[in-house]
Structure formats: C-alpha cells, structure tokens
Amino acid sequence: MGAGHAHRLYVPGASPVHRLAPQCKLVALLAFVTAVVATPRERMWAFAAYAVLLAAVAAVARIGPGLIARRALIELPFVTFALLLPFVAHGERVSVLGVAVSQDGLWGAWNILAKGTLGVVGSILLAATTEPRALLLGAERLRVPAQLVQIAAFMLRYLDVVAGELARMRVALAARGFEARDVRATRVLARSLGALFLRTYERGERVHLAMLARGYDGRMPATGAVAATPGQWGTAAVLPAAAALVAAAAWMGG
Amino acid sequence: MPVSLAGGAIAVAGVAVALRGSRRELDERTALLAGLTAAFVFGAQMLNFPVAGGTSGHLLGGALAAILVGPWTGLLCVSVVLAVQALLFADGGLSALGVNIVLMAIVTVIVGYGVFRGLLRVLPKTRPSAVAASFAGALVSVPASAATFVLLYAVGGTADVPLGTVLSAMLGVHVLIGIGEALITAVTVSSVLAVRPDLVYGARDLARPLELRTSPVETS
C-alpha cells in the first residue's frame, strides 16, 4: 500500500515554487487564467508574453519542457475541434497555403488553441509542484466548503484504488482477446464497470472502517504549518501581476 | 468570455444549492460513497469508447452519480470530478470549468434524475423497472447536455458557425454516446442493486423493510 504518499503527477523538488503555500499557488493560477482569458484574441504578442511568463515559472520550478509537452498531449481532442473551425465556419474567406478558409473560424481556432494551451500548461505546473494532499489543505484554507473538500479527498485517495482495479480488469480483458471495436463492445465495458464499482466500494468501505478505528472525524489531521506568510503571497502574486500588466497593455493599445 | 462568466455564476449557484440540499442526503457513510462515486466517475471518464466516424465518447456520469448517491450529492460529485480534472490533470480547461459544470453536472443530473424518478413513479416498483428507468434517464441526459452546449454556443460563440449544422451534428453523435452512457449506467445500477441494494439512493423505496420474525423455541 505504497500509494497515496506521492502522486504520479507530482515531481518532487525543493524549488521556490514547490515551497510556496498551496493556497497561494491556487489563487495565482486562477488569477493568471482570468487574465489570459480576458485578453483580446487579436493581440498575439500578449499570448507570447504569457508563454514567456509560464516558461519562467517552469524554469524556477525546474520542470523540464519535455515533461510539460508530454502532459499537454491531453489537450489533443480540443485541438482537433479547433483545427476544424476554419473549415466549417462562415464569414469572410481568406486563403492560407492556397486553401480558402473562414477568417472568423481561423481566429476562433487561434483563440481556443492559445488560451487553452496556456491554461493547460498552468495546471500542469501546479500539479507538478504541489502534492494533491497539500492542494486539498490549500483549498480548505481558502474556505472551500468542507463537503467538497471531503469528497475530493476521498476521490483522490481512491483514485489509485480504482485505477489499479481497472488496470487489472483491462489486462484480464486483453488476455481473453477483447478489443473495443464498436458500439457492441459497450456491453462488456458496462459489465466491467458494474463489477469495478462494487469491488472498489467494498474495498473503500474497509479502508473507511480502518480510518474510523484510528480516530478519523471527517477531516485529515494537518501535519505541517499551512498558514501562508505575506512574503509567500507576495511571491505568488508575481505571476498574476505580470499577467495583469500584459492584459492591461493588450486592452489599451495594439 | 461572457458565457464562461455566466456559466461560472450558474455553476457556483448550483453547487451552493446542492451543498444545502445534500445535507438532507448525507449520513456518516455518504461522504465516503460520494468520494468513491466521484473516483469511479473519474476513472470511467478516462475510458473512451468509439462511437462512429472516428469520434469517441466517454461517460458523463451525472445520471449514474445522481441515482447512486442522490441528486444533490451526485451534482457535487461530478462538479468535484470536473474541478480536479481542470486543476490537476489540465483536462477541460480552468476557464471553461463553469460551463463544464453547468453542462455535465447540473444538466445531466437534473434531466437524468428527473426522468429516472418520473419513470419510477409510473412503472411498477421492481428492480427491472429501476434499471430501465436508469437507462432512460442516462440516455436522455446526454443529448440534453449537448443541446445546452449548442444553446450556449449560439449565445456566446466566437466563430460564426451555422447553428442548424452544429445542433444536428451534436445531437446525432450524442444520441449514440447517450446509448453507451445508458448501457453503462443501467448495468452498473443493476449490478449494484443485485448485490448491495442499500447503496442505490434512487431506489431506496424499492427495498422492503426487514421484518422481525420470531418463532417459539422449545425450552426444556
């Protein structure tokens, strides 16, 4: 039962970004994304500036570009949707490489790609420098309702259990020559999910009883100091403040 | 942008109402069940199934969560799943979180659970009808969510895409996804009902209360 102590997404480290209090990082990321989304899509230089800001954070946190690129692959389905836009949208046509595409659609695609990618990279940096457990403590400090934090805590705790069971089932299915080819495969997948739910629940119930036996009363005991100093808030504010400046500049002029 | 702001506002309001409502559903085990359902929906959402023409769908889970843990707690579960996906796994995007919660948590839970309870009221109170009702609820919830997406896109879309085309394309694909969702929901509900009927919130009134039977024992 080595799971739960560290997470696959977390990259251990001791950089200033890692040491920052989780609640500061959460607020900083939200503010940064707000600034990015509020930027008019025609100001391409502003998005370049945001990318440079994120690259600086990644450099300070010692998170390599390869890791970020690999994790950013999750964005691919949205990218395909964005790439389709120039072809299906109406409006004025422009010629790109000899193909007439909608100008409006082109801007729409750029809008989704640029803002989406910046948000995704921001989240990747947060997840790589913050343990999920610390993130929950941070959310608690930010007065996120206790019920939500509790659901999220149980969820993260059992995610590895569910993933482990699911992986074993997938191996078992593959070993029996199963391959999800079309809609008919849904029947098999549905059965597996039913079994998965029951297995996970009964395992979770045992864990819950064990937790109760050890004095669990609805919240995890905090082991380290979680209060953030004004200095930490100041450090965390550098990224959103710079982003806000860029956004303001983008709104003012060209 | 205004749409994501409005979506965020609706999402916050919906989650706030659900927080108050879920107090009525919660007992000491529900937080555990809610967390597990969230983890389950999370895991199941990673399981993409092929639909048609190269697109693939995944479980939304709103109807399933609502039937298993109750509509309020189910809404909270799916919202937490979406928030964690946006924050940690960078899936779906942080700025679209509000819209995502409206589409995949609020709409699917209201429509899915509404259809489920409505059908249970007319159908005979048996296990097969609970399974059938969960199938119908999940089936309707997915196109409803897609139609809401098209509506939001019409209000705030940035690119000028013909609405009719989007609506028919979205509905066509999503009815297919809905069938997958409905199958998964119905089979999950049916297997849980078979083994642990006490875990299905939406079908609590199907359970017969236990009777205490006593028989005299000869004492010598």
Side-chain angles (χ1 to χ4, degrees), chain A residues 90 104 147 155 193 201 205, chain B residues 22 33 42 86 160 184 196:
Chain A
H90 285 314
D104 203 25
Q147 278 158 296
M155 182 183 124
L193 283 178
Y201 185 81
E205 220 172 18
Chain B
S22 77
L33 186 53
F42 196 114
D160 180 21
I184 292 172
R196 294 283 301 268

Side-chain angles (χ1 to χ4, degrees), chain A residues 54-55 58-59 61-73 121 124-125:
Chain A
L54 283 183
R62 293 177 198 284
I63 305 291
L67 183 120
I68 295 176
R70 241 178 301 123
R71 291 192 182 168
L73 284 182
V121 172
I124 291 171
L125 286 176

Side-chain angles (χ1 to χ4, degrees), chain A residues 151 154-155, chain B residues 26 29-39 69 73-74 77:
Chain A
I151 292 179
F154 271 119
M155 182 183 124
Chain B
L26 282 175
R29 275 189 330 177
T30 325
L32 165 79
L33 186 53
L36 269 168
T37 309
V69 289
T73 317
C77 282

Side-chain angles (χ1 to χ4, degrees), chain A residues 197-237:
Chain A
F197 184 83
L198 285 171
R199 279 196 204 178
T200 320
Y201 185 81
E202 301 202 322
R203 183 144 170 216
E205 220 172 18
R206 291 199 295 277
V207 174
H208 183 62
L209 288 175
M211 283 164 75
L212 288 179
R214 286 156 182 77
Y216 177 71
D217 60 352
R219 44 180 300 153
M220 297 308 282
T223 43
V226 280
T229 60
Q232 285 197 312
W233 281 110
T235 317

Side-chain angles (χ1 to χ4, degrees), chain A residues 113-200:
Chain A
L113 276 184
K115 293 180 178 176
T117 309
L118 287 168
V120 163
V121 172
S123 303
I124 291 171
L125 286 176
L126 175 74
T129 58
T130 321
E131 278 179 286
R133 211 182 98 70
L135 214 54
L136 289 176
L137 283 177
E140 216 166 59
R141 296 286 300 186
L142 292 173
R143 305 209 191 288
V144 173
Q147 278 158 296
L148 290 180
V149 176
Q150 221 183 340
I151 292 179
F154 271 119
M155 182 183 124
L156 289 171
R157 209 150 274 274
Y158 289 118
L159 210 52
D160 286 332
V161 177
V162 178
E165 294 277 8
L166 190 63
R168 282 190 285 283
M169 284 178 146
R170 269 190 173 167
V171 170
L173 284 172
R176 285 155 184 79
F178 173 79
E179 198 185 328
R181 279 195 205 87
D182 51 31
V183 187
R184 280 172 301 166
T186 322
R187 225 171 88 87
V188 179
L189 292 181
R191 286 243 171 105
S192 320
L193 283 178
L196 177 68
F197 184 83
L198 285 171
R199 279 196 204 178
T200 320

